[in-house]
Amino acid sequence: MKHHRPRLLFLLAVLCLAVCLLAGCAARAATADPDADLPTIVIGSDSYPPFNYLSADGQPTGIDVELATEAFRRMGYKAQFVTIDWVDKKELVENGTVDCLWGSFSIDGREDEYRWAGPYMVSRQVVAVMPGSDIETLADLAGKTVAVQATTKPEALLLDGGDPRIPEIRALLSMQKRELIYAYLSKGYADAVAAHETSILQFMSDFGIEYRILDEPLQVVGLGVAFALNDDRGLDTALNAALADMRTDGTTRAILAKYLPDPDKYLEVDYGR
C-alpha cells in the first residue's frame, strides 16, 4: 500500500489541477465580453459626468456610455469610447480618427455641421453662481465674468450676442477642461459658470459643493450623436432607429433613471427630427 500512495497523491493532484483549470475557463467564459467579436465603432468624447466619466475601476461609464453601448449592440457593433480634446472634435470625426461624437453634444445651432442621430434627450443650459451671489437673473450678468468650457453651447450663446435676455458681460473665460470652470467660480476668478444643468448638479454631488442655479435657462437644447457630413455609411439613420426603439421599450428611461432624479423631463424629444 505504501508503494501506491505516492501515485495516488499524484493522481489526486492532477485531478485537482484539472478541476481548477476547468473552473478558471468557466469563470473566464462567464465574464467574457459578449460583444468581443463585433466590429467596433470608435466614439470620441471627453469626461463630462454624468454623461461620460471613468468608474472606480477605470472603465468608461455614464448616460452616454450606456446608451451608446446598447444602441450600437442592437446595430451589430461594439461601442468603444476614446477620450479626445473636445476642441478638436470636428477635425477628429472628419478625418476618421473617431466614427462619431457622443458626449452631451448639443444639436441646436449645429444642425448643418454634422450628420446627426437624435436628439435622444434634452438638456438645460444654465448659469450657476455661488450661494451668496447678487446675480439672480440673466440680466444680472451685465459686467460680470463668466467661465465656460471651450467650444460648448454656453460659450456660443454668450459670444453670439443675439439673445436680448443675455447682457454684455465683462469677460468670458473659456477653459479646455470642464473642471476648471468650477475652480474659477469657487476661487472668485469668475462670477458665474454656464454649462449643462445635469453636469453642474453632478459636480455639486461629487464634491459636496453648493452652487445656486438661476431659474431662467440660457437655452433648452437637444442632445445628439454627430457623424461627419461625408460619412455615407448610413450609421446616423440606423442609430436613430435604435434610439427610437430604446425609448419605446423603456431602455432609455431606465438608463436615465440611474443618473437623474426625474428622467421623464429629459425625454421630451422627437427622434430623427
Side-chain angles (χ1 to χ4, degrees), residues 29-271:
T31 58
D33 183 358
D35 301 336
D37 295 332
L38 296 178
T40 299
I41 290 289
V42 180
I43 303 167
S45 190
D46 66 348
S47 179
Y48 206 84
F51 295 95
N52 184 7
Y53 59 99
L54 295 181
S55 63
D57 59 358
Q59 298 300 311
T61 190
I63 294 171
D64 287 345
V65 175
E66 292 201 34
L67 289 175
T69 300
E70 177 61 23
F72 281 120
R73 179 187 293 123
R74 295 186 183 200
M75 294 167 56
Y77 293 94
K78 176 182 178 180
Q80 177 187 350
F81 274 80
V82 296
T83 300
I84 63 172
D85 285 331
W86 197 242
V87 295
D88 298 328
K89 58 188 177 295
K90 199 168 193 295
E91 177 185 352
L92 294 173
V93 75
E94 288 180 346
N95 66 22
T97 301
V98 298
D99 290 298
C100 63
L101 305 168
W102 196 331
S104 186
F105 199 12
S106 305
I107 297 176
D108 302 64
R110 303 185 178 101
E111 291 87 349
D112 298 329
E113 295 183 32
Y114 304 92
R115 289 179 182 261
W116 288 100
Y120 55 89
M121 63 181 289
V122 296
S123 180
R124 284 164 38 97
Q125 301 281 8
V126 298
V127 172
V129 297
M130 297 301 292
S133 171
D134 60 356
I135 299 174
E136 300 289 343
T137 67
L138 293 180
D140 294 332
L141 291 174
K144 304 293 187 181
T145 298
V146 183
V148 297
Q149 185 177 8
T151 76
T152 59
K153 177 57 64 173
E155 180 188 56
L157 292 171
L158 289 163
L159 287 174
D160 180 61
D163 189 334
R165 300 173 306 138
I166 303 175
E168 183 176 351
I169 62 175
R170 184 172 71 87
L172 182 66
L173 306 178
S174 295
M175 310 293 176
Q176 187 168 1
K177 298 298 183 182
R178 159 188 173 268
E179 296 81 2
L180 290 177
I181 70 174
Y182 301 109
Y184 269 59
L185 177 59
S186 296
K187 293 289 186 181
Y189 303 144
D191 301 298
V193 298
H196 286 286
E197 183 179 39
T198 47
S199 181
I200 295 173
L201 293 172
Q202 185 70 43
F203 189 88
M204 289 166 56
S205 174
D206 289 345
F207 295 97
I209 297 175
E210 187 67 28
Y211 299 128
R212 176 167 51 80
I213 297 175
L214 303 191
D215 292 333
E216 185 180 12
L218 285 169
Q219 190 178 32
V220 179
V221 297
L223 303 184
V225 185
F227 296 84
L229 285 175
N230 62 358
D231 188 338
D232 58 2
R233 293 174 292 176
L235 292 172
D236 53 322
T237 301
L239 183 55
N240 264 326
L243 290 170
D245 288 343
M246 287 168 60
R247 180 181 182 182
T248 299
D249 65 26
T251 301
T252 298
R253 188 189 186 283
I255 291 173
L256 295 185
K258 294 169 61 175
Y259 299 92
L260 304 171
D262 186 6
D264 290 318
K265 76 175 184 179
Y266 299 100
L267 290 174
E268 298 173 357
V269 296
D270 294 321
Y271 285 98

